[in-house]
């Protein structure tokens, strides 16, 4: 059984899609949800799936202290893989290295980013793509490395928009694709763990 933790800071719609998919898997199990925000929507979502949720706020602690509390929790739950789902902090290289898998030469940390990488790295990717009426719109799921949304791509898909509708509709369209792709990656985690790609 591959033991997964989801880390999220916000609404948690991706966490929800992952938890829904996980209930039908026999070789992958979401054992834990971690959030750094006391009022994150993901807390209620985890509870509704009867999953342990650990709220680990940074507050006055340093980044190193905060991450070592997270690492300890991940260790307590014997977590093999982390799925970042709107986790709004940059992880340090020390943290990323602590999940390095020498077999696949990648960290066992995966992120979902709402753009067709390498376009629109960083914050507010939907907003920037919409503003520009970009033709490079899509969703990317990638391994986490030391850079900002620079890790090796696992899965990527475009979507189309004529930009005639409002931003909210555009974002909904992207989120619907996120909710399809991230569970697909979770389902195929045994393969990714073995080969380093889908
Ligand atoms: C998603 O757009 C995801 O791609 C990005 O953060 C957002 C999280 O949304 N990394 P939610 O909390 O899963 O609804």
């Amino acid at each position: 059984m591959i033991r997964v933790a989801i880390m999220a800071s916000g609404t948690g719609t991706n966490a929800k899609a992952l938890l829904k998919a996980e209930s039908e898997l026999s070789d992958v199990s979401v054992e834990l949800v971690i959030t750094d925000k006391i009022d994150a929507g993901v807390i209620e979502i985890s509870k509704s799936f009867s999953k342990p949720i650990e709220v680990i706020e940074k507050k006055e602690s340093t980044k190193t202290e905060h991450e070592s509390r997270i690492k300890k929790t991940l260790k307590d739950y014997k977590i093999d893989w982390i799925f970042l789902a709107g986790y709004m902090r940059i992880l340090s290289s020390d943290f990323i290295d602590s999940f390095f898998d020498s077999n696949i030469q990648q960290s066992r940390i995966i992120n979902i980013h709402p753009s067709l990488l390498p376009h629109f790295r960083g914050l507010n990717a939907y907003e920037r793509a919409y503003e520009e009426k970009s033709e490079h719109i899509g969703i990317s799921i990638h391994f986490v490395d030391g850079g900002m949304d620079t890790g090796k791509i696992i899965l990527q898909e475009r979507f189309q928009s004529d930009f005639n509708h409002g931003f909210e509709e555009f974002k909904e369209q992207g989120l619907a694709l996120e909710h399809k792709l991230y569970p697909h990656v979770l389902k195929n985690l045994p393969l990714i763990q073995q080969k380093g790609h889908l």
Side-chain angles (χ1 to χ4, degrees), residues 63 67 84 89-98 100 105-109 111 121 142-152:
K63 187 180 184 74
E67 286 191 345
L84 302 179
R89 289 178 191 280
I90 309 267
L91 297 169
S92 70
S93 344
D94 272 358
F95 186 97
I96 296 166
D97 289 349
S98 71
F100 189 75
Q105 289 291 306
Q106 295 291 340
S107 71
R108 287 181 171 199
I109 309 176
N111 184 43
R121 288 187 169 123
H142 63 92
F143 288 106
V144 172
D145 65 6
M148 167 81 84
D149 304 316
T150 51
K152 182 183 158 190

Side-chain angles (χ1 to χ4, degrees), residues 56-125:
I56 308 177
E57 290 181 286
K58 182 169 177 295
K59 285 193 172 160
E60 305 303 313
S61 62
T62 63
K63 187 180 184 74
T64 311
E65 288 162 353
H66 185 226
E67 286 191 345
S68 51
R69 278 191 288 138
I70 296 174
K71 270 199 258 182
K72 185 181 179 307
T73 308
L74 292 165
K75 207 172 172 191
D76 288 346
Y77 283 85
K78 300 186 172 60
I79 297 302
D80 302 308
W81 282 82
I82 301 171
F83 274 55
L84 302 179
Y87 185 68
M88 298 307 287
R89 289 178 191 280
I90 309 267
L91 297 169
S92 70
S93 344
D94 272 358
F95 186 97
I96 296 166
D97 289 349
S98 71
F99 270 78
F100 189 75
D101 181 325
S102 53
N103 186 36
I104 57 170
Q105 289 291 306
Q106 295 291 340
S107 71
R108 287 181 171 199
I109 309 176
I110 294 178
N111 184 43
I112 185 160
H113 185 73
S115 81
L116 203 65
L117 290 171
H119 302 277
F120 305 106
R121 288 187 169 123
L123 290 175
N124 304 321

